[in-house]
mmCIF file of all heavy atoms in Angstrom:
data_model
loop_
_atom_site.group_PDB
_atom_site.id
_atom_site.type_symbol
_atom_site.label_atom_id
_atom_site.label_comp_id
_atom_site.label_asym_id
_atom_site.label_seq_id
_atom_site.Cartn_x
_atom_site.Cartn_y
_atom_site.Cartn_z
ATOM 1 N N ASP A 167 112.726 127.517 116.520
ATOM 2 C CA ASP A 167 112.981 128.615 117.468
ATOM 3 C C ASP A 167 114.321 128.366 118.189
ATOM 4 O O ASP A 167 114.519 127.367 118.868
ATOM 5 C CB ASP A 167 111.830 128.644 118.512
ATOM 6 C CG ASP A 167 111.897 129.855 119.406
ATOM 7 O OD1 ASP A 167 113.017 130.260 119.891
ATOM 8 O OD2 ASP A 167 110.821 130.390 119.762
ATOM 9 N N GLY A 168 115.252 129.286 118.000
ATOM 10 C CA GLY A 168 116.589 129.145 118.532
ATOM 11 C C GLY A 168 116.672 129.025 120.060
ATOM 12 O O GLY A 168 117.642 128.520 120.591
ATOM 13 N N ARG A 169 115.627 129.512 120.767
ATOM 14 C CA ARG A 169 115.649 129.416 122.232
ATOM 15 C C ARG A 169 115.584 128.003 122.778
ATOM 16 O O ARG A 169 115.933 127.765 123.906
ATOM 17 C CB ARG A 169 114.491 130.221 122.802
ATOM 18 C CG ARG A 169 114.533 131.704 122.539
ATOM 19 C CD ARG A 169 113.314 132.384 122.990
ATOM 20 N NE ARG A 169 112.165 131.950 122.162
ATOM 21 C CZ ARG A 169 110.876 132.293 122.365
ATOM 22 N NH1 ARG A 169 110.593 133.098 123.349
ATOM 23 N NH2 ARG A 169 109.941 131.884 121.560
ATOM 24 N N VAL A 170 115.093 127.079 121.938
ATOM 25 C CA VAL A 170 114.869 125.726 122.452
ATOM 26 C C VAL A 170 115.916 124.714 121.995
ATOM 27 O O VAL A 170 115.905 123.573 122.460
ATOM 28 C CB VAL A 170 113.436 125.221 122.143
ATOM 29 C CG1 VAL A 170 112.436 126.077 122.865
ATOM 30 C CG2 VAL A 170 113.175 125.182 120.684
ATOM 31 N N GLN A 171 116.810 125.131 121.104
ATOM 32 C CA GLN A 171 117.794 124.171 120.596
ATOM 33 C C GLN A 171 118.750 123.673 121.724
ATOM 34 O O GLN A 171 118.912 122.479 121.957
ATOM 35 C CB GLN A 171 118.603 124.780 119.475
ATOM 36 C CG GLN A 171 117.797 125.310 118.301
ATOM 37 C CD GLN A 171 116.906 124.312 117.660
ATOM 38 O OE1 GLN A 171 117.305 123.194 117.403
ATOM 39 N NE2 GLN A 171 115.661 124.678 117.428
ATOM 40 N N GLU A 172 119.384 124.619 122.372
ATOM 41 C CA GLU A 172 120.396 124.284 123.412
ATOM 42 C C GLU A 172 119.788 123.542 124.598
ATOM 43 O O GLU A 172 120.372 122.525 125.047
ATOM 44 C CB GLU A 172 121.171 125.507 123.825
ATOM 45 C CG GLU A 172 122.143 125.976 122.765
ATOM 46 C CD GLU A 172 122.971 127.157 123.200
ATOM 47 O OE1 GLU A 172 123.121 127.379 124.397
ATOM 48 O OE2 GLU A 172 123.481 127.851 122.303
ATOM 49 N N PRO A 173 118.669 123.963 125.128
ATOM 50 C CA PRO A 173 118.105 123.185 126.270
ATOM 51 C C PRO A 173 117.788 121.738 125.876
ATOM 52 O O PRO A 173 118.022 120.850 126.692
ATOM 53 C CB PRO A 173 116.795 123.962 126.644
ATOM 54 C CG PRO A 173 117.002 125.338 126.128
ATOM 55 C CD PRO A 173 117.898 125.186 124.886
ATOM 56 N N VAL A 174 117.284 121.511 124.696
ATOM 57 C CA VAL A 174 116.965 120.152 124.278
ATOM 58 C C VAL A 174 118.249 119.337 124.079
ATOM 59 O O VAL A 174 118.298 118.211 124.535
ATOM 60 C CB VAL A 174 116.071 120.177 122.975
ATOM 61 C CG1 VAL A 174 115.982 118.762 122.355
ATOM 62 C CG2 VAL A 174 114.693 120.735 123.299
ATOM 63 N N ILE A 175 119.231 119.916 123.454
ATOM 64 C CA ILE A 175 120.502 119.244 123.268
ATOM 65 C C ILE A 175 121.083 118.872 124.632
ATOM 66 O O ILE A 175 121.528 117.706 124.872
ATOM 67 C CB ILE A 175 121.504 120.058 122.448
ATOM 68 C CG1 ILE A 175 120.998 120.166 120.995
ATOM 69 C CG2 ILE A 175 122.892 119.489 122.504
ATOM 70 C CD1 ILE A 175 121.727 121.219 120.163
ATOM 71 N N ARG A 176 121.141 119.843 125.552
ATOM 72 C CA ARG A 176 121.724 119.545 126.889
ATOM 73 C C ARG A 176 120.956 118.451 127.590
ATOM 74 O O ARG A 176 121.556 117.527 128.153
ATOM 75 C CB ARG A 176 121.697 120.800 127.771
ATOM 76 C CG ARG A 176 122.813 121.796 127.446
ATOM 77 C CD ARG A 176 122.959 122.859 128.522
ATOM 78 N NE ARG A 176 121.703 123.599 128.719
ATOM 79 C CZ ARG A 176 121.394 124.743 128.114
ATOM 80 N NH1 ARG A 176 122.205 125.274 127.216
ATOM 81 N NH2 ARG A 176 120.230 125.333 128.375
ATOM 82 N N TYR A 177 119.654 118.514 127.504
ATOM 83 C CA TYR A 177 118.806 117.456 128.187
ATOM 84 C C TYR A 177 119.116 116.080 127.583
ATOM 85 O O TYR A 177 119.319 115.110 128.375
ATOM 86 C CB TYR A 177 117.351 117.808 127.995
ATOM 87 C CG TYR A 177 116.424 116.784 128.570
ATOM 88 C CD1 TYR A 177 116.021 116.806 129.927
ATOM 89 C CD2 TYR A 177 115.919 115.748 127.778
ATOM 90 C CE1 TYR A 177 115.164 115.853 130.464
ATOM 91 C CE2 TYR A 177 115.094 114.779 128.310
ATOM 92 C CZ TYR A 177 114.720 114.828 129.677
ATOM 93 O OH TYR A 177 113.880 113.869 130.189
ATOM 94 N N LEU A 178 119.125 115.960 126.256
ATOM 95 C CA LEU A 178 119.316 114.648 125.684
ATOM 96 C C LEU A 178 120.703 114.123 125.917
ATOM 97 O O LEU A 178 120.928 112.953 126.163
ATOM 98 C CB LEU A 178 118.979 114.710 124.165
ATOM 99 C CG LEU A 178 117.487 114.935 123.851
ATOM 100 C CD1 LEU A 178 117.269 115.149 122.364
ATOM 101 C CD2 LEU A 178 116.646 113.757 124.351
ATOM 102 N N VAL A 179 121.732 115.012 125.811
ATOM 103 C CA VAL A 179 123.112 114.596 126.093
ATOM 104 C C VAL A 179 123.231 114.048 127.526
ATOM 105 O O VAL A 179 123.821 113.018 127.739
ATOM 106 C CB VAL A 179 124.125 115.748 125.803
ATOM 107 C CG1 VAL A 179 125.473 115.457 126.405
ATOM 108 C CG2 VAL A 179 124.222 115.989 124.293
ATOM 109 N N LYS A 180 122.661 114.773 128.442
ATOM 110 C CA LYS A 180 122.735 114.410 129.853
ATOM 111 C C LYS A 180 121.968 113.132 130.167
ATOM 112 O O LYS A 180 122.464 112.199 130.797
ATOM 113 C CB LYS A 180 122.248 115.529 130.753
ATOM 114 C CG LYS A 180 122.292 115.237 132.242
ATOM 115 C CD LYS A 180 121.773 116.384 133.062
ATOM 116 C CE LYS A 180 121.751 116.017 134.522
ATOM 117 N NZ LYS A 180 121.142 117.083 135.332
ATOM 118 N N THR A 181 120.696 113.068 129.739
ATOM 119 C CA THR A 181 119.849 111.948 130.173
ATOM 120 C C THR A 181 120.126 110.656 129.341
ATOM 121 O O THR A 181 119.902 109.573 129.853
ATOM 122 C CB THR A 181 118.371 112.306 130.040
ATOM 123 O OG1 THR A 181 118.038 112.626 128.680
ATOM 124 C CG2 THR A 181 118.009 113.438 130.981
ATOM 125 N N LEU A 182 120.639 110.809 128.107
ATOM 126 C CA LEU A 182 120.842 109.625 127.279
ATOM 127 C C LEU A 182 122.337 109.264 127.156
ATOM 128 O O LEU A 182 122.646 108.245 126.533
ATOM 129 C CB LEU A 182 120.298 109.863 125.895
ATOM 130 C CG LEU A 182 118.808 110.167 125.787
ATOM 131 C CD1 LEU A 182 118.403 110.485 124.313
ATOM 132 C CD2 LEU A 182 117.969 109.048 126.350
ATOM 133 N N SER A 183 123.209 110.114 127.691
ATOM 134 C CA SER A 183 124.625 109.904 127.598
ATOM 135 C C SER A 183 125.097 109.750 126.112
ATOM 136 O O SER A 183 125.902 108.901 125.793
ATOM 137 C CB SER A 183 125.072 108.648 128.411
ATOM 138 O OG SER A 183 124.760 108.804 129.770
ATOM 139 N N VAL A 184 124.547 110.644 125.296
ATOM 140 C CA VAL A 184 125.017 110.703 123.881
ATOM 141 C C VAL A 184 125.938 111.877 123.692
ATOM 142 O O VAL A 184 126.005 112.776 124.593
ATOM 143 C CB VAL A 184 123.836 110.824 122.913
ATOM 144 C CG1 VAL A 184 122.986 109.550 122.949
ATOM 145 C CG2 VAL A 184 122.974 112.082 123.173
ATOM 146 N N LYS A 185 126.661 111.908 122.637
ATOM 147 C CA LYS A 185 127.588 112.994 122.377
ATOM 148 C C LYS A 185 126.970 114.070 121.459
ATOM 149 O O LYS A 185 127.235 115.227 121.583
ATOM 150 C CB LYS A 185 128.895 112.459 121.759
ATOM 151 C CG LYS A 185 129.980 113.451 121.648
ATOM 152 C CD LYS A 185 131.308 112.802 121.301
ATOM 153 C CE LYS A 185 132.377 113.865 121.294
ATOM 154 N NZ LYS A 185 133.686 113.283 121.016
ATOM 155 N N TYR A 186 126.120 113.635 120.532
ATOM 156 C CA TYR A 186 125.538 114.513 119.542
ATOM 157 C C TYR A 186 124.042 114.342 119.451
ATOM 158 O O TYR A 186 123.486 113.270 119.692
ATOM 159 C CB TYR A 186 126.120 114.235 118.165
ATOM 160 C CG TYR A 186 127.618 114.219 118.126
ATOM 161 C CD1 TYR A 186 128.303 112.999 117.984
ATOM 162 C CD2 TYR A 186 128.345 115.370 118.212
ATOM 163 C CE1 TYR A 186 129.665 112.984 117.944
ATOM 164 C CE2 TYR A 186 129.727 115.344 118.164
ATOM 165 C CZ TYR A 186 130.397 114.148 118.008
ATOM 166 O OH TYR A 186 131.769 114.126 117.992
ATOM 167 N N VAL A 187 123.355 115.435 119.058
ATOM 168 C CA VAL A 187 121.926 115.411 118.834
ATOM 169 C C VAL A 187 121.630 115.992 117.454
ATOM 170 O O VAL A 187 121.941 117.153 117.176
ATOM 171 C CB VAL A 187 121.144 116.196 119.931
ATOM 172 C CG1 VAL A 187 119.667 116.150 119.634
ATOM 173 C CG2 VAL A 187 121.454 115.652 121.310
ATOM 174 N N ASP A 188 121.061 115.158 116.601
ATOM 175 C CA ASP A 188 120.650 115.641 115.277
ATOM 176 C C ASP A 188 119.327 116.371 115.462
ATOM 177 O O ASP A 188 118.374 115.877 116.079
ATOM 178 C CB ASP A 188 120.412 114.465 114.310
ATOM 179 C CG ASP A 188 121.682 113.778 113.878
ATOM 180 O OD1 ASP A 188 122.766 114.402 113.919
ATOM 181 O OD2 ASP A 188 121.618 112.580 113.483
ATOM 182 N N MET A 189 119.248 117.628 114.926
ATOM 183 C CA MET A 189 118.031 118.410 115.002
ATOM 184 C C MET A 189 117.343 118.424 113.653
ATOM 185 O O MET A 189 117.879 118.818 112.639
ATOM 186 C CB MET A 189 118.384 119.855 115.382
ATOM 187 C CG MET A 189 118.625 120.083 116.830
ATOM 188 S SD MET A 189 117.134 119.832 117.822
ATOM 189 C CE MET A 189 117.932 119.750 119.392
ATOM 190 N N VAL A 190 116.080 118.014 113.708
ATOM 191 C CA VAL A 190 115.179 118.086 112.552
ATOM 192 C C VAL A 190 114.177 119.207 112.932
ATOM 193 O O VAL A 190 113.412 119.050 113.880
ATOM 194 C CB VAL A 190 114.470 116.777 112.313
ATOM 195 C CG1 VAL A 190 113.449 116.912 111.166
ATOM 196 C CG2 VAL A 190 115.442 115.628 112.055
ATOM 197 N N THR A 191 114.255 120.367 112.274
ATOM 198 C CA THR A 191 113.467 121.489 112.764
ATOM 199 C C THR A 191 112.314 121.849 111.824
ATOM 200 O O THR A 191 112.442 121.691 110.575
ATOM 201 C CB THR A 191 114.359 122.737 113.012
ATOM 202 O OG1 THR A 191 114.916 123.194 111.780
ATOM 203 C CG2 THR A 191 115.411 122.442 114.029
ATOM 204 N N GLU A 192 111.303 122.369 112.364
ATOM 205 C CA GLU A 192 110.105 122.813 111.674
ATOM 206 C C GLU A 192 109.311 123.716 112.638
ATOM 207 O O GLU A 192 109.289 123.411 113.836
ATOM 208 C CB GLU A 192 109.258 121.614 111.227
ATOM 209 C CG GLU A 192 108.115 121.937 110.371
ATOM 210 C CD GLU A 192 108.491 122.374 108.977
ATOM 211 O OE1 GLU A 192 109.583 121.955 108.453
ATOM 212 O OE2 GLU A 192 107.729 123.154 108.370
ATOM 213 N N PRO A 193 108.711 124.793 112.210
ATOM 214 C CA PRO A 193 107.917 125.602 113.102
ATOM 215 C C PRO A 193 106.737 124.774 113.657
ATOM 216 O O PRO A 193 106.037 124.128 112.906
ATOM 217 C CB PRO A 193 107.412 126.735 112.229
ATOM 218 C CG PRO A 193 108.343 126.808 111.065
ATOM 219 C CD PRO A 193 108.766 125.414 110.839
ATOM 220 N N GLY A 194 106.607 124.799 114.979
ATOM 221 C CA GLY A 194 105.493 124.148 115.665
ATOM 222 C C GLY A 194 105.296 122.636 115.283
ATOM 223 O O GLY A 194 104.228 122.252 114.939
ATOM 224 N N PRO A 195 106.351 121.835 115.472
ATOM 225 C CA PRO A 195 106.233 120.454 115.033
ATOM 226 C C PRO A 195 105.230 119.655 115.852
ATOM 227 O O PRO A 195 104.696 118.654 115.360
ATOM 228 C CB PRO A 195 107.685 119.899 115.188
ATOM 229 C CG PRO A 195 108.240 120.736 116.284
ATOM 230 C CD PRO A 195 107.661 122.117 116.057
ATOM 231 N N ASP A 196 105.008 120.006 117.116
ATOM 232 C CA ASP A 196 104.053 119.260 117.907
ATOM 233 C C ASP A 196 102.641 119.355 117.305
ATOM 234 O O ASP A 196 101.928 118.374 117.147
ATOM 235 C CB ASP A 196 104.063 119.666 119.386
ATOM 236 C CG ASP A 196 103.987 121.178 119.641
ATOM 237 O OD1 ASP A 196 104.172 121.988 118.700
ATOM 238 O OD2 ASP A 196 103.677 121.546 120.756
ATOM 239 N N LYS A 197 102.261 120.590 116.917
ATOM 240 C CA LYS A 197 100.952 120.795 116.311
ATOM 241 C C LYS A 197 100.889 120.071 114.949
ATOM 242 O O LYS A 197 99.897 119.419 114.622
ATOM 243 C CB LYS A 197 100.670 122.304 116.150
ATOM 244 C CG LYS A 197 99.329 122.584 115.505
ATOM 245 C CD LYS A 197 99.078 124.078 115.382
ATOM 246 C CE LYS A 197 97.719 124.321 114.720
ATOM 247 N NZ LYS A 197 97.435 125.753 114.575
ATOM 248 N N LEU A 198 101.911 120.303 114.132
ATOM 249 C CA LEU A 198 101.999 119.752 112.820
ATOM 250 C C LEU A 198 101.816 118.233 112.818
ATOM 251 O O LEU A 198 101.014 117.669 112.120
ATOM 252 C CB LEU A 198 103.352 120.106 112.172
ATOM 253 C CG LEU A 198 103.592 119.538 110.801
ATOM 254 C CD1 LEU A 198 102.856 120.324 109.738
ATOM 255 C CD2 LEU A 198 105.121 119.577 110.536
ATOM 256 N N LEU A 199 102.589 117.565 113.722
ATOM 257 C CA LEU A 199 102.503 116.098 113.788
ATOM 258 C C LEU A 199 101.221 115.590 114.437
ATOM 259 O O LEU A 199 100.768 114.543 114.108
ATOM 260 C CB LEU A 199 103.750 115.586 114.494
ATOM 261 C CG LEU A 199 105.069 115.674 113.702
ATOM 262 C CD1 LEU A 199 106.263 115.501 114.620
ATOM 263 C CD2 LEU A 199 105.097 114.696 112.572
ATOM 264 N N SER A 200 100.692 116.356 115.374
ATOM 265 C CA SER A 200 99.471 115.924 116.015
ATOM 266 C C SER A 200 98.273 116.012 115.095
ATOM 267 O O SER A 200 97.370 115.140 115.099
ATOM 268 C CB SER A 200 99.204 116.717 117.280
ATOM 269 O OG SER A 200 98.860 118.055 117.001
ATOM 270 N N GLU A 201 98.268 117.038 114.231
ATOM 271 C CA GLU A 201 97.158 117.204 113.246
ATOM 272 C C GLU A 201 97.351 116.225 112.105
ATOM 273 O O GLU A 201 96.353 115.813 111.511
ATOM 274 C CB GLU A 201 97.087 118.632 112.785
ATOM 275 C CG GLU A 201 96.641 119.579 113.859
ATOM 276 C CD GLU A 201 96.631 121.041 113.401
ATOM 277 O OE1 GLU A 201 97.235 121.363 112.329
ATOM 278 O OE2 GLU A 201 96.054 121.864 114.128
ATOM 279 N N ASN A 202 98.574 115.892 111.747
ATOM 280 C CA ASN A 202 98.868 114.879 110.707
ATOM 281 C C ASN A 202 98.180 115.187 109.389
ATOM 282 O O ASN A 202 97.653 114.292 108.744
ATOM 283 C CB ASN A 202 98.543 113.485 111.244
ATOM 284 C CG ASN A 202 99.248 112.398 110.447
ATOM 285 O OD1 ASN A 202 100.261 112.654 109.812
ATOM 286 N ND2 ASN A 202 98.739 111.215 110.549
ATOM 287 N N ARG A 203 98.189 116.451 108.983
ATOM 288 C CA ARG A 203 97.517 116.858 107.757
ATOM 289 C C ARG A 203 98.476 117.204 106.629
ATOM 290 O O ARG A 203 98.217 116.932 105.474
ATOM 291 C CB ARG A 203 96.619 118.064 107.997
ATOM 292 C CG ARG A 203 95.443 117.735 108.844
ATOM 293 C CD ARG A 203 94.460 118.931 108.901
ATOM 294 N NE ARG A 203 93.525 118.716 109.972
ATOM 295 C CZ ARG A 203 93.175 119.631 110.877
ATOM 296 N NH1 ARG A 203 93.658 120.837 110.788
ATOM 297 N NH2 ARG A 203 92.313 119.344 111.833
ATOM 298 N N LYS A 204 99.548 117.911 106.957
ATOM 299 C CA LYS A 204 100.488 118.362 105.909
ATOM 300 C C LYS A 204 101.461 117.236 105.541
ATOM 301 O O LYS A 204 102.563 117.176 105.961
ATOM 302 C CB LYS A 204 101.261 119.622 106.388
ATOM 303 C CG LYS A 204 100.299 120.779 106.605
ATOM 304 C CD LYS A 204 101.069 122.034 106.996
ATOM 305 C CE LYS A 204 100.112 123.214 107.201
ATOM 306 N NZ LYS A 204 100.820 124.434 107.593
ATOM 307 N N LYS A 205 100.957 116.352 104.696
ATOM 308 C CA LYS A 205 101.677 115.103 104.395
ATOM 309 C C LYS A 205 103.042 115.310 103.819
ATOM 310 O O LYS A 205 103.982 114.588 104.168
ATOM 311 C CB LYS A 205 100.803 114.237 103.464
ATOM 312 C CG LYS A 205 99.464 113.836 104.076
ATOM 313 C CD LYS A 205 99.602 113.053 105.341
ATOM 314 C CE LYS A 205 98.219 112.601 105.831
ATOM 315 N NZ LYS A 205 98.305 111.883 107.116
ATOM 316 N N ALA A 206 103.209 116.316 102.910
ATOM 317 C CA ALA A 206 104.540 116.504 102.329
ATOM 318 C C ALA A 206 105.550 116.946 103.360
ATOM 319 O O ALA A 206 106.701 116.458 103.346
ATOM 320 C CB ALA A 206 104.425 117.535 101.204
ATOM 321 N N VAL A 207 105.164 117.817 104.276
ATOM 322 C CA VAL A 207 106.076 118.288 105.294
ATOM 323 C C VAL A 207 106.384 117.126 106.256
ATOM 324 O O VAL A 207 107.552 116.931 106.633
ATOM 325 C CB VAL A 207 105.449 119.473 106.083
ATOM 326 C CG1 VAL A 207 106.349 119.877 107.236
ATOM 327 C CG2 VAL A 207 105.236 120.641 105.153
ATOM 328 N N ILE A 208 105.403 116.337 106.612
ATOM 329 C CA ILE A 208 105.597 115.194 107.525
ATOM 330 C C ILE A 208 106.505 114.147 106.842
ATOM 331 O O ILE A 208 107.383 113.620 107.514
ATOM 332 C CB ILE A 208 104.271 114.658 107.938
ATOM 333 C CG1 ILE A 208 103.564 115.685 108.885
ATOM 334 C CG2 ILE A 208 104.414 113.304 108.646
ATOM 335 C CD1 ILE A 208 102.120 115.370 109.233
ATOM 336 N N ARG A 209 106.363 113.904 105.571
ATOM 337 C CA ARG A 209 107.210 112.972 104.864
ATOM 338 C C ARG A 209 108.693 113.443 104.960
ATOM 339 O O ARG A 209 109.608 112.652 105.114
ATOM 340 C CB ARG A 209 106.840 112.829 103.413
ATOM 341 C CG ARG A 209 105.805 111.745 103.139
ATOM 342 C CD ARG A 209 105.684 111.463 101.638
ATOM 343 N NE ARG A 209 105.421 112.594 100.811
ATOM 344 C CZ ARG A 209 104.208 113.093 100.548
ATOM 345 N NH1 ARG A 209 103.105 112.551 101.117
ATOM 346 N NH2 ARG A 209 104.068 114.156 99.787
ATOM 347 N N GLU A 210 108.871 114.757 104.844
ATOM 348 C CA GLU A 210 110.231 115.322 104.923
ATOM 349 C C GLU A 210 110.801 115.153 106.323
ATOM 350 O O GLU A 210 112.019 114.845 106.509
ATOM 351 C CB GLU A 210 110.254 116.775 104.466
ATOM 352 C CG GLU A 210 111.610 117.354 104.267
ATOM 353 C CD GLU A 210 112.450 116.712 103.208
ATOM 354 O OE1 GLU A 210 111.936 115.898 102.399
ATOM 355 O OE2 GLU A 210 113.658 116.977 103.184
ATOM 356 N N LEU A 211 110.019 115.387 107.345
ATOM 357 C CA LEU A 211 110.476 115.136 108.718
ATOM 358 C C LEU A 211 110.891 113.693 108.955
ATOM 359 O O LEU A 211 111.920 113.397 109.494
ATOM 360 C CB LEU A 211 109.387 115.543 109.736
ATOM 361 C CG LEU A 211 109.033 116.994 109.799
ATOM 362 C CD1 LEU A 211 107.826 117.194 110.778
ATOM 363 C CD2 LEU A 211 110.227 117.840 110.251
ATOM 364 N N LYS A 212 110.059 112.807 108.408
ATOM 365 C CA LYS A 212 110.359 111.343 108.494
ATOM 366 C C LYS A 212 111.668 111.022 107.767
ATOM 367 O O LYS A 212 112.481 110.301 108.292
ATOM 368 C CB LYS A 212 109.219 110.562 107.942
ATOM 369 C CG LYS A 212 109.428 109.046 108.003
ATOM 370 C CD LYS A 212 108.251 108.301 107.442
ATOM 371 C CE LYS A 212 108.491 106.816 107.431
ATOM 372 N NZ LYS A 212 107.356 106.068 106.837
ATOM 373 N N ARG A 213 111.843 111.587 106.571
ATOM 374 C CA ARG A 213 113.042 111.325 105.809
ATOM 375 C C ARG A 213 114.302 111.729 106.570
ATOM 376 O O ARG A 213 115.292 111.038 106.674
ATOM 377 C CB ARG A 213 112.951 112.054 104.463
ATOM 378 C CG ARG A 213 114.163 111.793 103.538
ATOM 379 C CD ARG A 213 114.177 112.673 102.324
ATOM 380 N NE ARG A 213 114.472 114.027 102.626
ATOM 381 C CZ ARG A 213 115.727 114.515 102.805
ATOM 382 N NH1 ARG A 213 116.772 113.674 102.724
ATOM 383 N NH2 ARG A 213 115.936 115.790 103.088
#
Side-chain angles (χ1 to χ4, degrees):
D167 189 321
R169 296 173 293 176
V170 296
Q171 306 303 314
E172 288 182 21
V174 169
I175 291 168
R176 281 193 304 268
Y177 177 87
L178 292 172
V179 166
K180 179 181 177 185
T181 61
L182 302 176
S183 298
V184 295
K185 190 168 183 178
Y186 308 107
V187 178
D188 289 336
M189 281 292 165
V190 177
T191 65
E192 187 69 28
D196 51 343
K197 180 179 180 182
L198 177 77
L199 289 164
S200 69
E201 291 176 347
N202 200 19
R203 291 187 195 135
K204 295 183 178 179
K205 299 299 184 184
V207 177
I208 292 171
R209 271 193 306 275
E210 190 62 13
L211 293 175
K212 180 180 177 182
R213 183 187 73 79

